[in-house]
């Protein structure tokens, strides 16, 4: 660990009380475009950022095992200098970073101290979804503790992953409330090569707690007024001018697309999601919700702002009527600042991609998945004409096959498509063949377009899900069940 990095990035001011949940308007049904538009009460907004860099505490596996208690509870955390009632894993926002190695076992004792059910999902890990593994159908009720056991295969790729709740109907509320944390799979022991973990989220604060959202915000996908980097408002990342730093960036926002402007940082992209690539210079990287980037930057001679540029995800209205737009404006993620006295860890060498190139294989089957928005008792969020039903299997696939999926979006809004367990290789997007080996577990499907991916169902029989990673849309039904056998 280098000097100058505080492991504890937010101060837990006290234990959770027994009061009502600050967030979590559960079961709100969207019934119209404008009938439930509400104005959140105004309250103290986070003060100016620019504070010192900090990262979540790191928990590292020992002898093939990382075992931890993960307490899900309300906590008072400091956001931009004021105490805010949020949801947290182990009292901090984000929760602890879990540092694993391929072949490890992750044992999590999830203790639910919320007033509503929750569970946890290890986003992007290539692990089994059955039993007490990465099973999104589990429901951990208030007061319960559940033992998750997640086994990483020996050939699990290194990279950056993350964890968050997956309790259908409550996912966006719980994530927006503060429940997310990083998972890094890396052979390295980080004694002198620890990467910078950069967990980006957004939140709206009203009256000292997380704002409830109106129906229209659920339809659009809620975006928070305040962008947080490791729970901090626009922190300064200080390092000697000319030094290299490796950033593992996670888009943990409920809905916000992070269109990261990297000009002036000599940024080289090493990987997206669990995929690795030959380093390439980039001045922009788009991370849709759930996406991660592995980046190496060079600290400039004067401070450079890393800004998530304004983005237009389309609109919730149908047809000529238009409707509310899903737009955000520029937001400052962090400022890279030269500081001769700061020390930086070394950069570990890049990892070559080991995923087979599925462009070279014969596919065993094709299918089309259509993400739709429709009217009918309010705006409905559907896949192939249906809303999520945990008791229905929507796609049955066979272990040992490779499939080509065309993922269509017939709606006027962008939807980031996510498949659990099995990564997708992008074959064709925006009408063009993909030039490189591009492995993702969340693929953006812009409004009115389609993307073609290939998926190797090479292992892990069982049932899991695919869904829009605008988590409000997932909660509203834009999710399906896949069974591999
Ligand atoms: Cu990041 Cu099914 O989720
Ligand atoms: Cu996931
Ligand atoms: Cu969506």
């Amino acid at each position: 660990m280098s000097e100058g990095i505080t492991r504890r990035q937010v101060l837990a001011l006290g234990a959770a009380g027994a009061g009502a949940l600050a967030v979590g308007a559960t079961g709100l049904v969207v019934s119209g475009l404008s009938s439930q538009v509400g104005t959140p009460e105004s309250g103290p907004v986070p003060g100016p950022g620019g504070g010192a860099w900090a990262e979540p505490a790191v928990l590292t596996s020992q002898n093939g095992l990382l075992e931890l208690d993960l307490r899900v509870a309300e906590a008072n955390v400091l956001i931009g200098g004021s105490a805010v009632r949020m949801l947290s894993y182990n009292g901090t926002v984000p929760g602890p970073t879990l540092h694993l190695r391929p072949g490890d076992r992750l044992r999590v004792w999830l203790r639910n101290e919320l007033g509503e059910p929750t569970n946890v999902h290890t986003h992007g890990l290539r692990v089994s979804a059955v039993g007490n593994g990465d099973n999104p159908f589990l429901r951990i009720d208030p007061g319960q503790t559940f033992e998750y056991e997640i086994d990483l295969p020996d050939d699990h790729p290194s990279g950056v992953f993350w964890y968050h709740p997956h309790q259908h109907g409550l996912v966006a509320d719980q994530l927006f409330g503060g429940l997310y944390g990083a998972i890094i799979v890396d052979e390295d022991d980080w004694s002198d090569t620890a990467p910078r973990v950069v967990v980006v989220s957004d939140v709206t604060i009203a009256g000292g707690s997380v704002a409830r959202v109106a129906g229209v915000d659920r339809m659009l996908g809620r975006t928070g007024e305040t962008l947080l980097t490791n729970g901090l408002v626009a922190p300064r990342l200080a390092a000697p001018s000319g030094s290299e730093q490796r950033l593992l960036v996670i888009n943990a926002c409920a809905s916000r697309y992070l269109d990261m402007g990297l000009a002036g940082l000599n940024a080289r992209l090493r990987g997206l999601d669990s995929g690795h690539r030959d380093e390439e210079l980039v001045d922009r990287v788009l991370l849709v919700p759930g996406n991660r980037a592995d980046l190496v930057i060079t600290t400039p001679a004067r401070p450079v702002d890393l800004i998530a540029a304004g983005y237009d995800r389309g609109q919730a209205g149908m047809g000529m009527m238009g409707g509310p737009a899903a737009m955000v404006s520029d937001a400052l993620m962090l400022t890279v600042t030269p500081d001769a006295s700061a020390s930086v860890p070394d950069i570990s060498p890049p990892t070559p991609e080991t995923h087979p190139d599925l462009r070279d294989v014969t596919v065993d089957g094709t299918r089309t998945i259509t993400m739709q928005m429709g009217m009918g008792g309010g705006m409905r969020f559907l896949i192939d004409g249906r809303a999520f039903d945990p008791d229905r299997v929507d796609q049955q696939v066979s272990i040992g096959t490779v499939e080509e999926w065309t993922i269509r979006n017939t709606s006027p809004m962008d939807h980031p498509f996510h498949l659990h367990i099995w990564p997708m290789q992008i074959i064709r997007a925006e009408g063009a063949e993909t030039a490189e080996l591009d492995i993702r577990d969340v693929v953006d499907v812009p409004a009115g377009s389609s993307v073609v991916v290939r998926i190797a169902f090479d292992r892990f029989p069982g049932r899991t899900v695919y869904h829009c990673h605008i988590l409000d849309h997932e909660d509203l039904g834009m999710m399906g069940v896949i069974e591999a056998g």
Side-chain angles (χ1 to χ4, degrees), residues 40 45 50 54 60 77 108 176-177 274 278 285 294 325 334 348 390 398 410 456 468:
V45 291
T60 301
V77 297
V108 177
F176 197 67
S274 61
D278 295 337
V285 170
D294 184 346
L334 55 95
S348 61
S398 297
T410 59
C468 177

Side-chain angles (χ1 to χ4, degrees), residues 121 123-124 136 162 164-166 290 418 420 442 465 467 469 471 474 479:
H121 164 53
H123 179 127
W162 61 299
H164 62 77
H166 219 288
H418 175 46
H420 286 208
V442 181
V465 291
H467 58 88
H469 218 288
L471 294 171
E474 181 272 306
M479 177 153 70

Side-chain angles (χ1 to χ4, degrees), residues 27-298:
L28 173 58
V29 175
V30 175
S31 62
L33 276 178
S34 56
S35 61
Q36 298 190 19
V37 179
T39 313
E41 51 175 322
S42 54
V45 291
W53 183 257
E55 292 176 41
V58 177
L59 303 174
T60 301
S61 66
Q62 306 292 336
N63 305 315
L65 175 68
L66 177 57
E67 180 165 9
L68 66 139
D69 291 319
L70 203 56
R71 192 173 139 264
V72 191
E74 287 187 65
N76 292 318
V77 297
L78 283 177
I79 302 289
S82 11
V84 179
R85 197 89 177 137
M86 292 186 73
L87 305 184
S88 85
Y89 288 122
N90 291 355
T92 65
V93 177
T97 295
L98 312 182
H99 174 198
L100 300 164
R101 298 177 176 85
D104 277 355
R105 168 167 291 180
L106 171 63
R107 183 179 294 138
V108 177
W109 297 88
L110 188 82
R111 194 158 108 218
N112 182 6
E113 295 183 5
L114 303 177
E116 60 186 18
T118 190
N119 61 14
V120 72
H121 164 53
T122 52
H123 179 127
L125 288 187
R126 302 184 194 173
V127 295
S128 172
V130 303
N132 60 344
D134 181 26
N135 182 346
F137 300 102
L138 292 168
R139 168 194 170 109
I140 318 306
D141 280 315
Q144 284 188 345
T145 298
F146 186 82
E147 179 191 6
Y148 282 90
E149 207 162 73
I150 293 168
D151 288 321
L152 276 64
D154 292 333
D155 62 350
H156 195 288
S158 65
V160 51
F161 307 86
W162 61 299
Y163 60 96
H164 62 77
H166 219 288
Q167 185 66 49
H168 180 62
L170 299 174
V171 180
D173 283 342
Q174 292 186 355
L175 183 120
F176 197 67
L179 296 177
Y180 37 81
I183 299 174
I184 316 291
V185 180
D186 192 347
E187 294 278 7
D188 203 280
D189 66 4
W190 293 3
S191 50
D192 44 31
T193 58
R196 305 283 201 200
V197 175
V198 184
V199 182
V200 184
S201 59
D202 62 4
V203 69
T204 302
I205 293 157
S209 55
V210 178
R212 290 165 175 275
V213 304
V216 69
D217 295 319
R218 292 174 191 261
M219 285 187 291
L220 293 170
R222 71 190 73 186
T223 47
E225 288 169 0
T226 303
L227 194 66
L228 299 176
T229 297
N230 292 340
L232 306 166
V233 179
R236 271 181 308 102
L237 178 54
S241 168
S243 66
E244 292 188 323
Q245 304 188 69
R246 181 173 174 220
L247 311 184
L248 302 179
V249 186
I250 300 169
N251 184 353
C253 298
S255 307
R256 183 191 290 258
Y257 281 38
L258 290 174
D259 187 358
M260 299 191 295
L262 299 161
L265 296 170
N266 187 42
R268 284 163 290 142
L269 183 64
R270 285 186 168 190
L272 282 170
D273 288 356
S274 61
H276 303 281
R277 52 182 68 205
D278 295 337
E279 280 187 8
E280 60 175 315
L281 270 175
V282 287
D283 57 16
R284 176 192 169 210
V285 170
L286 177 65
L287 295 185
V288 304
N291 277 155
R292 293 87 65 202
D294 184 346
L295 285 167
V296 175
I297 61 166
T298 306

Side-chain angles (χ1 to χ4, degrees), residues 201-438:
S201 59
D202 62 4
V203 69
T204 302
I205 293 157
S209 55
V210 178
R212 290 165 175 275
V213 304
V216 69
D217 295 319
R218 292 174 191 261
M219 285 187 291
L220 293 170
R222 71 190 73 186
T223 47
E225 288 169 0
T226 303
L227 194 66
L228 299 176
T229 297
N230 292 340
L232 306 166
V233 179
R236 271 181 308 102
L237 178 54
S241 168
S243 66
E244 292 188 323
Q245 304 188 69
R246 181 173 174 220
L247 311 184
L248 302 179
V249 186
I250 300 169
N251 184 353
C253 298
S255 307
R256 183 191 290 258
Y257 281 38
L258 290 174
D259 187 358
M260 299 191 295
L262 299 161
L265 296 170
N266 187 42
R268 284 163 290 142
L269 183 64
R270 285 186 168 190
L272 282 170
D273 288 356
S274 61
H276 303 281
R277 52 182 68 205
D278 295 337
E279 280 187 8
E280 60 175 315
L281 270 175
V282 287
D283 57 16
R284 176 192 169 210
V285 170
L286 177 65
L287 295 185
V288 304
N291 277 155
R292 293 87 65 202
D294 184 346
L295 285 167
V296 175
I297 61 166
T298 306
T299 312
R302 31 183 124 256
V304 168
D305 288 341
L306 200 168
I307 288 173
Y311 203 88
D312 179 359
R313 293 188 282 111
Q315 57 187 30
M318 301 296 288
M320 303 305 291
M321 295 284 289
M327 283 188 25
V328 290
S329 42
D330 289 5
L332 179 58
M333 278 174 56
L334 55 95
T335 303
V336 186
T337 311
D339 178 351
S341 67
S343 65
V344 289
D346 294 334
I347 302 292
S348 61
T351 317
E353 182 55 78
T354 52
H355 193 277
D357 192 338
L358 301 177
R359 289 174 296 190
D360 302 334
V361 308
T362 317
V363 297
D364 300 292
T366 60
R367 59 185 89 201
T368 299
I369 309 271
T370 304
M371 293 186 284
Q372 305 164 304
M373 288 161 52
M375 298 303 293
M379 183 67 69
R380 303 177 69 213
F381 290 81
L382 310 169
I383 297 183
D384 297 323
R386 297 181 294 237
F388 176 62
D389 177 352
D391 298 320
R392 182 187 68 222
V393 172
D394 299 288
Q395 313 295 335
Q396 181 79 50
V397 300
S398 297
I399 295 295
T401 61
V402 173
E403 294 201 3
E404 181 168 290
W405 289 15
T406 300
I407 304 159
R408 297 169 65 222
N409 173 1
T410 59
S411 81
M413 283 181 84
D414 303 350
H415 300 288
F417 181 85
H418 175 46
L419 172 64
H420 286 208
I421 310 298
W422 303 279
M424 300 173 279
Q425 180 178 346
I426 302 178
I427 303 296
R428 200 174 309 122
E430 289 164 47
E433 308 293 321
T434 303
E436 59 209 338
L437 183 52
D438 193 346

